[in-house]
Every structure is written in structure tokens, then in C-alpha cells.
Amino acid sequence: MPHDVAAARAAAEEESAFSHPPVDPDAIASYGDHPDQVIDFYAPRGEPGPGGQAPLVVLLHGGAWRAPYDRRHVTPFADFLARRGFAVANVEYRRGAADVSGAGASAGSVGVSSGAGVAAGSGSGSGLGSAGAGAGGSDSATAAGAGGDGPVAGRWPETFDDVAAALDALPALVREALPQADPRRTVLTGHSAGGHLALWGAARHCLPVDAPWRTDRPALLRGVVALAPIADFTVADKLDVCGGAARQLLGGEVEFAERQPYADPALLLPTGIATTIVQGRTDVVVPHAVADSYADAAAKAGEVVGLTLLEDVGHFPLIDPAADACAVVVEEIAQLAW
């Protein structure tokens, strides 16, 4: 496909994904003291499933771990899942801007509120992809996409602190904020950088023994569905995915090799947890070579990772309720959850 045609298609897909108005959650819970240490909860719509409870989908948003991209842009996707019978926990975490508050990441200070609006941030309509055509986002937000000239990606170690703390706090928060959810049927999912965090969160028991986020046993998950994840940092770095976001996440050139064993899902295998990757073949933001490499690494480690490659699909249709690819994602989640 000619480059200009591919770029135009990617831009149209991005615009569609960010054209939906954000959807407020049914409840919001804090898992720490920092403003970004919050989780939005969406109750399942319609009739309850077996036992009167719904499977829980834990959602980690993407955005190259950069500060302008918060959980707000995936709230239409969260609502899409809720309208198909899932309970949803949409997790926020600290991203690439400097932390001026000095707040630490702790699973303490837990609280729940109902019906409040989602926190302000990039909102829907921020450009993320390398196509360079967002749906009306700000100049600073667009610069933070794949071009690499905007805000730095991620925050070491706070991004990882937060994801670990959120996952540890979830069982108690779900019991209070989302009693319709069945935590025994939990599927962890995430898109792009959030797909990385989902794979990482499911692999904490595989971390080096000195890692502060390591757990003694695998998480109680039905599985992981990673959507166009930045799943292999070596390949992502070679391809300069999202303007070198993986290298920025780990702190830069010097820190990359030192910290990669603590952060790269491709080095944390096998997990023993059912894992599926859903990936568009025409994705120009996170090319499918990244997912291919992760699946190959899993196979070498003796683990089978499902890889669903969607023809004529790019990066953003996977979280776009208007796209057929989004229905495929829901089906992959349902196969693990029900």
C-alpha cells in the first residue's frame, strides 16, 4: 500500500476512534494519594450473567505512557464493554510529566465515590498516532504522539508503581464500588502502551527477585487480551515506536538495558496465564512485528500466545466502538471471561 494511502487510512481510523464523546463512570475509586491514582468503574448493562454477577474487565489505556493521554479517551470503549455485559475497571496511572506533588504510589488511602465525571486530560479527540492527523486535539497533545518531540513517555518507577498498586487494590475496591462484578472471572486488557502494562501486570510473578513489584504467585486472572501492545521493547526500540517511547519510559539511553529486565514483557515469560494479542496488520503506530516478536519469545519459552491479526485494520479501530474490530476484541475477551 502506498505510504500516503496508508497514512490517510490511519488518520481516518484515529479520527473515528476519538470522535466519540467521553462516558462518565458509575463510580470512581482512589488507590493512592496522587490525583492520577484512580480507577473508574462501569457497571454491566442488561441482564446479569450466571450467578448474578458479570466478568470483570480491567482496562489500561494507551498513549505512549505520555502525560497528555489519560483514561478519558478509552471511556467510550469501557462503555462499549459494559453495554455487552461486562463490569469494567478503567485504571489511571502516572505518565510522563514530572511529579510536582511528591506523592508516593501506595495502595492505601482508598476511597470510592459515585457518578463523578472523569478527570480532565487529553479528553477524546487527541492525536496519538504517527499519521499526524488527530481529531482536534491540542498542539501539545499531537506533538506527544509518535513524533517524539512532545512530552517524555512514562515515569520511572512511578508508572509501574501505580499499575502494581492498582492491581493489588482492585479486589477490595471492586467489592465496594462494583458488587455486580465477579472478580473470579477477571480479564486484563489494554491498548498500545496499556497493552504493555497489561502484559507486564500479568507477569509480575516472573519479575527479577529484587523487583519491588514482584508477586509470589500468578495473578488470579482468566487471561490477558493485549491490543496492539508495545510487547517487545527491543523490537519497539529498533522500530522507533512512538518516537522512542519505550526507551524514554525506562529513563533514557543509559538506563534502558539496566531496567529492561524489569519492564519488558518479552523478557518475562512464560507467565502461565492465557494470553491473546489482537493486532491490526496495517498498524503504523505499533507495527505487528512487535506482537510477532513477543509471540515468538513466548513460544521459545514454552508458552502459546494467541495472535489474532486483523486484515486492513490499523491501530485505533481496536478501541473504536464504531469499528468492526472492536467487536472482535469483545469476542476475544468473552472467550476468556465467560
Side-chain angles (χ1 to χ4, degrees):
M1 181 185 299
H3 176 75
D4 56 343
V5 175
R9 173 180 289 183
E13 289 176 339
E14 183 178 357
E15 183 173 4
S16 177
F18 289 103
S19 67
H20 309 285
V23 180
D24 286 351
D26 298 300
I28 302 175
S30 299
Y31 63 88
D33 297 327
H34 192 279
D36 284 335
Q37 293 173 328
V38 293
I39 303 172
D40 291 341
F41 290 103
Y42 294 80
R45 319 293 192 239
E47 294 297 322
Q53 290 183 307
L56 175 66
V57 177
V58 181
L59 173 60
L60 292 156
H61 70 82
W65 309 286
R66 290 187 167 113
Y69 309 109
D70 64 8
R71 71 198 187 281
R72 191 175 178 87
H73 77 269
V74 293
T75 62
F77 177 54
D79 178 67
F80 186 80
L81 289 166
R83 286 186 283 112
R84 277 145 188 83
F86 296 99
V88 182
N90 185 17
V91 178
E92 190 58 276
Y93 52 89
R94 281 176 287 181
R95 303 170 307 284
D99 181 5
V100 297
S101 72
S106 168
S109 187
V110 170
V112 176
S113 62
S114 62
V118 289
S122 64
S124 72
S126 295
L128 288 172
S130 60
S138 68
D139 290 341
S140 61
T142 303
D149 294 328
V152 171
R155 192 186 305 169
W156 179 277
E158 290 90 346
T159 296
F160 297 92
D161 288 343
D162 286 1
V163 172
L167 295 178
D168 290 344
L170 258 174
L173 294 176
V174 167
R175 284 194 296 270
E176 182 178 355
L178 204 61
Q180 305 95 322
D182 181 358
R184 298 168 300 176
R185 292 183 288 158
T186 298
V187 175
L188 188 56
T189 191
H191 177 242
S192 195
H196 156 265
L197 293 172
L199 294 171
W200 180 86
R204 289 169 60 200
H205 60 291
C206 301
L207 284 166
V209 293
D210 61 338
W213 314 291
R214 181 182 167 93
T215 57
D216 293 334
R217 58 184 62 87
L220 297 177
L221 297 171
R222 284 289 183 90
V224 179
V225 178
L227 313 177
I230 305 178
D232 185 314
F233 278 13
T234 298
V235 175
D237 191 52
K238 288 179 179 177
L239 296 177
D240 197 34
V241 167
C242 296
R247 186 171 292 270
Q248 291 179 8
L249 173 67
L250 301 192
E253 187 77 28
V254 174
E255 297 86 357
F256 186 78
E258 177 185 339
R259 293 172 175 173
Q260 190 177 358
Y262 298 84
D264 187 346
L267 302 181
L268 302 174
L269 291 163
T271 67
I273 294 173
T275 300
T276 297
I277 294 177
V278 184
Q279 175 79 47
R281 283 193 181 273
T282 59
D283 191 333
V284 297
V285 179
V286 183
H288 69 79
V290 180
D292 292 343
S293 183
Y294 177 84
D296 289 345
K300 290 176 182 176
E303 190 161 78
V304 176
V305 169
L307 180 56
T308 301
L309 292 173
L310 303 181
E311 299 292 339
D312 298 321
V313 170
H315 194 63
F316 294 99
L318 303 177
I319 58 167
D320 181 358
D324 292 341
C326 200
V328 175
V329 168
V330 172
E331 180 57 31
E332 294 287 356
I333 292 173
Q335 287 183 20
L336 292 174
W338 291 104

